[in-house]
Amino acid sequence: LLPVDLTIENDVIIAGTLDNVSQRTETVDETQETEFLHLTFGGEWDVSDRLQLSTLLGYSEVEENELRRTYVFANEGQFNFDLSRDLEFVTFQGTDLDYLDPAEFTADQLRFRPRDSESDEFSIQIDGEYALDGVITAVKGGLRYADTSANQVRGEIRPAFDLSFADVATPLNIENFLDDAPSGTVRNFLITDIGLGRSLLLPDGQDVPTDSNGTFEISETITSGYLQADYAFDLGGVPVDGNIGVRIVETDQTSDGFQIIDGTPGSVSINNTYTDTLPSLNLRAEVAEDLFVRFAANQAMARPTFGEISPGLVIQPTNLVASGGNPGLDPFRANQYDLGVEWYFADEALISATVYYKDIESFISSVTAQEVLTGTNLVNDNGENVSGSTFDVTRPVNGDSGELYG
């Protein structure tokens, strides 16, 4: 960009003229198909008056097919802008540019980007409960196993073209578009006709190579078991009840894909396995009629999403930025404490207050670092191949510990 004339007030640019500005009409045509299947089967068995067993089996799968077509026509020249009248609406106009004349725009870019993904999960859960007499009123336990997998294949081509914009242009037709804008605001534009774009520029059946940066497969198995005791007793005439228990969870994750190491993309398979022991205690005491005090303490964990542990990257070649996952990411873990008071002073009426404290072992945060990225179709909006350039890459990491209370 070359400034030709600028108006500055209080060290802020509020108007001006710039040269070598690329004004583009970019039309995105995106279609997405999703198929979803979910099956569950469950049963309960009263073995005796005291013993109950239940089981639950589940299976689900999701398949997504996405196709994104992008059509870009551009005009390069001078550009006038004015912020002095209304900060919400920028008054702008290309110098001697008629936005409704397709002859003013030339062929710039085509992008044909398919993305296919699949995921499935199988799970089985068995629970049991045995009723008792005395302070311990029931003992509960169970086992659960879940096997989940997800994969994504992404590709992109940017074929060259020289078709006239006049052959595919159509007016942007949005009712009441920018009606609130001040006079002088450009309201009318040309876009690419979707039907003509598909038939003349980007028809179905394109031969698209796989983009290694956007292709990955993740598998995760979770094996867990729990044991819990329910209790109830009087303490100095105060009824007390609640439960105490522990859950043990083993997580085994494997992320397969491509990562750029020392500037070179290569296939990787990264395994991350961890086991968590999660105790919990819940207590309720009726200290007076309709007045309850509650206390809870537990250790909790939350696994990162598949997107956060994916080895793939989403790259923006024009801005030289990218974002990706971290296959070695550990879960969010915290020790949690809650203390509350509840007063049921009338039917369906309640006044309550709660204080809480969370000792967080590790937040999941984001870090941006510079990395040299290479790959196919790393082409910016000026048509320049930026493969091998330095990008600002943002990934999730396990951050510092912290406290949260209120």
Side-chain angles (χ1 to χ4, degrees), residues 25 28 151 351:
T25 167
V28 176
N151 67 79
I351 295 177

Side-chain angles (χ1 to χ4, degrees), residues 184-215:
T185 303
V186 179
R187 295 180 173 84
N188 300 305
F189 302 91
L190 293 176
I191 61 173
T192 300
D193 182 274
I194 296 300
L196 293 174
R198 291 185 182 184
S199 62
L200 298 178
L201 294 173
L202 292 175
D204 292 332
Q206 301 279 340
D207 184 15
V208 182
T210 298
D211 177 7
S212 59
N213 289 313
T215 299

Side-chain angles (χ1 to χ4, degrees), residues 78-365:
Q78 286 194 348
F79 176 78
N80 305 308
F81 66 94
D82 189 350
L83 295 166
S84 62
R85 294 190 300 164
D86 192 325
L87 292 178
E88 183 178 356
F89 296 98
V90 180
T91 302
F92 65 89
Q93 175 67 53
T95 305
D96 300 324
L97 173 60
D98 182 357
Y99 290 102
L100 295 179
D101 182 2
E104 299 271 10
F105 297 86
T106 58
D108 187 63
Q109 286 186 50
L110 294 178
R111 306 183 202 124
F112 189 88
R113 183 183 299 169
R115 183 185 67 85
D116 300 321
S117 64
E118 296 178 346
S119 63
D120 61 72
E121 178 180 283
F122 168 76
S123 64
I124 180 170
Q125 180 172 332
I126 300 173
D127 297 285
E129 178 178 349
Y130 190 82
L132 296 170
D133 298 321
V135 173
I136 304 300
T137 59
V139 174
K140 302 175 182 178
L143 299 170
R144 187 177 188 272
Y145 174 81
D147 187 346
T148 306
S149 64
N151 67 79
Q152 173 180 283
V153 177
R154 190 178 67 203
E156 181 178 344
I157 57 172
R158 298 191 178 195
F161 74 114
D162 59 2
L163 189 71
S164 169
F165 190 32
D167 293 331
V168 293
T170 188
L172 175 67
N173 187 16
I174 301 178
E175 188 176 353
N176 301 322
F177 182 62
L178 295 179
D179 274 1
D180 296 334
S183 61
T185 303
V186 179
R187 295 180 173 84
N188 300 305
F189 302 91
L190 293 176
I191 61 173
T192 300
D193 182 274
I194 296 300
L196 293 174
R198 291 185 182 184
S199 62
L200 298 178
L201 294 173
L202 292 175
D204 292 332
Q206 301 279 340
D207 184 15
V208 182
T210 298
D211 177 7
S212 59
N213 289 313
T215 299
F216 60 84
E217 181 174 356
I218 299 173
S219 61
E220 177 184 77
T221 59
I222 300 171
T223 306
S224 62
Y226 75 94
L227 185 64
Q228 176 182 303
D230 295 347
Y231 58 84
F233 57 89
D234 285 349
L235 182 63
V238 175
V240 177
D241 61 15
N243 58 67
I244 185 171
V246 63
R247 181 183 297 272
I248 300 175
V249 185
E250 181 187 77
T251 303
D252 187 0
Q253 298 170 332
T254 301
S255 301
D256 297 322
F258 294 84
Q259 282 193 335
I260 297 174
I261 302 174
D262 296 329
T264 302
S267 59
V268 296
S269 181
I270 300 173
N271 179 259
N272 192 19
T273 302
Y274 45 87
T275 300
D276 291 272
T277 301
L278 308 172
S280 68
L281 167 68
N282 292 281
L283 179 148
R284 183 185 66 169
E286 189 175 5
V287 295
E289 185 177 0
D290 298 327
L291 181 63
F292 295 87
V293 174
R294 295 180 183 270
F295 174 75
N298 65 78
Q299 290 185 346
M301 60 89 76
R303 298 176 194 86
T305 65
F306 276 12
E308 290 175 320
I309 63 173
S310 160
L313 285 172
V314 177
I315 301 176
Q316 300 179 39
T318 298
N319 301 322
L320 295 181
V321 298
S323 60
N326 177 2
L329 198 64
D330 285 331
F332 167 95
R333 295 185 174 98
N335 299 316
Q336 305 182 135
Y337 306 91
D338 296 82
L339 179 63
V341 178
E342 300 173 351
W343 178 34
Y344 297 86
F345 60 90
D347 292 340
E348 300 183 4
L350 165 69
I351 295 177
S352 66
T354 301
V355 294
Y356 63 86
Y357 173 76
K358 300 180 186 293
D359 179 12
I360 300 172
E361 178 182 324
S362 175
F363 287 97
I364 294 178
S365 56

